[in-house]
Amino acid sequence: DIQMTQSPSSLSASVGDRVTITCRASQSISNYLNWYQQKPGKAPKLLIYVASALESGVPSRFSGSGSGTDFTLTISSLQPEDFATYYCQRSYGTPLTFGGGTKVEIK
Amino acid sequence: EVQLVESGGGLVQPGGSLRLSCATSGFTFITYWMTWVRQAPGKGLEWVANIKQDGSEKYYVDSVKGRFTISRDNAKNSFFLQMTSLRAEDTAVYYCARAVRGGSVFDYWGQGTLVTVSS
């Protein structure tokens, strides 16, 4: 099975900071990569699909890039409501594996 | 408004069974793949199973194959997860979600239902 590895597992940042989260696949998955945001006690929310397409209603400060095995989620200017855990997910073939998550905390 | 509402969670003994339901509204259910994703306490997300629009294709994560069965009732805009031979490691919040782009992108989620497997 293809493994999805996120880094870092957690980070501390301040409002206004640029934040980058990395997801690496154990083999090429082309651009079949999605990103989700999850806040405590809530269901995940889709942010980005096929590596770089912004889901409707998601603020433009979120962006995704990458292909093959290496992908990034960037938040251009961190806002208070962005403190959450972020997950990448492979979206081709099964199992539809998630990464381990990156918790973004307030510095 | 798209809505998904899970039910059926609870406490069950190891080896027991439980059936989760997901009632949906606000979209044309028969045209979408549907999926179950779980999250053990304090852990990350794990995809569990998904089912094609007409139920003709079903896929499972290896750890539940042979124990869990996903199904749907298109007349009732609902789908289900029948769980048998439950183990402590199946303890999790189970989310149902709508799946797009061939069943692999999860764009709307329910609020989750907790399944606890313990004696």
Side-chain angles (χ1 to χ4, degrees), chain A residues 35-46:
Chain A
W35 291 97
Y36 300 84
Q37 176 194 65
Q38 187 181 34
K39 297 181 179 179
K42 300 295 186 181
K45 173 187 175 182
L46 177 64

Side-chain angles (χ1 to χ4, degrees), chain B residues 6 8 11 18 70 72 75 90 101 116:
Chain B
E6 302 94 338
L11 175 64
L18 212 54
I70 190 171
R72 62 192 294 159
D90 296 317
R101 302 189 70 88
T116 303

Side-chain angles (χ1 to χ4, degrees), chain A residues 1 34 36 38 41-46 48-50 55 87 89-100, chain B residues 35 37 39 43-47 50 59-62 65 95 100-101 103-112:
Chain A
D1 291 348
N34 311 315
Y36 300 84
Q38 187 181 34
K42 300 295 186 181
K45 173 187 175 182
L46 177 64
I48 302 279
Y49 60 97
V50 293
E55 173 69 350
Y87 294 92
Q89 178 235 333
R90 165 202 177 194
S91 62
Y92 182 79
T94 57
L96 296 165
T97 313
F98 287 88
Chain B
T35 198
V37 173
Q39 186 169 37
K43 303 297 184 183
L45 301 169
E46 180 181 38
W47 169 78
N50 63 0
Y59 301 95
Y60 301 90
V61 67
D62 281 351
K65 283 180 183 174
Y95 295 100
V100 296
R101 302 189 70 88
S104 62
V105 180
F106 313 138
D107 64 345
Y108 283 92
W109 298 63
Q111 82 288 349

Side-chain angles (χ1 to χ4, degrees), chain A residues 5-53:
Chain A
T5 303
Q6 285 183 237
S7 61
S9 56
S10 66
L11 64 90
S12 295
S14 301
V15 172
D17 283 354
R18 181 181 182 89
V19 169
T20 298
I21 297 168
T22 296
C23 179
R24 175 164 290 175
S26 59
Q27 57 185 274
S28 177
I29 57 170
S30 185
N31 67 339
Y32 294 109
L33 191 284
N34 311 315
W35 291 97
Y36 300 84
Q37 176 194 65
Q38 187 181 34
K39 297 181 179 179
K42 300 295 186 181
K45 173 187 175 182
L46 177 64
L47 299 176
I48 302 279
Y49 60 97
V50 293
S52 60

Side-chain angles (χ1 to χ4, degrees), chain A residues 41-89:
Chain A
K42 300 295 186 181
K45 173 187 175 182
L46 177 64
L47 299 176
I48 302 279
Y49 60 97
V50 293
S52 60
L54 194 67
E55 173 69 350
S56 176
V58 174
S60 59
R61 63 181 179 272
F62 291 92
S63 64
S65 64
S67 66
T69 59
D70 294 317
F71 303 86
T72 59
L73 173 71
T74 299
I75 310 172
S76 60
S77 178
L78 197 66
Q79 297 301 300
E81 60 268 31
D82 301 337
F83 291 95
T85 300
Y86 294 84
Y87 294 92
C88 63
Q89 178 235 333

Side-chain angles (χ1 to χ4, degrees), chain B residues 86-98:
Chain B
L86 282 161
R87 307 166 180 168
E89 53 265 35
D90 296 317
T91 294
V93 173
Y94 284 73
Y95 295 100
C96 64
R98 190 178 81 170

